[in-house]
Amino acid sequence: MSHAEDSTPGRVRHEIDADLMLATGEHPLGKVRRCAGELQPGESVRITSGFRPAPLIEALSHAGFTVSSEEAAPGRHVTYVARSA
């Protein structure tokens, strides 16, 4: 699993609110995978959530993406997914 303390790895192409998706009964992993698959070099997907999305981070790291996550504020996590170089 990759975890970095830097913030945005490139320009944010997609923004996903994981809490909103979960509240409507949709798991965000599928959408994040689709969006990550569209990334060009220098672009990222930004995911916001009220928790550290460990399963999502692990799945995308294993799929070859660069993933960084941090707690931006108490109870607010920001995770970036970028295409590995």
Side-chain angles (χ1 to χ4, degrees):
M1 176 167 37
S2 174
H3 174 68
E5 295 303 321
D6 58 357
S7 56
T8 311
R11 180 179 70 85
V12 175
R13 180 171 177 181
H14 299 283
E15 297 237 11
I16 297 172
D17 183 332
D19 293 335
L20 181 61
M21 291 184 71
L22 290 168
T24 62
E26 186 178 358
H27 194 283
L29 183 58
K31 182 173 182 177
V32 172
R33 281 186 188 270
R34 283 190 302 277
C35 290
E38 298 173 3
L39 294 176
Q40 299 298 315
E43 295 180 332
S44 65
V45 178
R46 181 178 188 260
I47 303 123
T48 56
S49 58
F51 57 93
R52 186 173 188 276
L56 184 142
I57 292 167
E58 185 173 335
L60 291 164
S61 293
H62 286 303
F65 291 93
T66 300
V67 183
S68 64
S69 186
E70 64 185 13
E71 187 171 30
R76 283 313 302 159
H77 291 262
V78 180
T79 303
Y80 292 96
V81 178
R83 186 170 298 284
S84 297

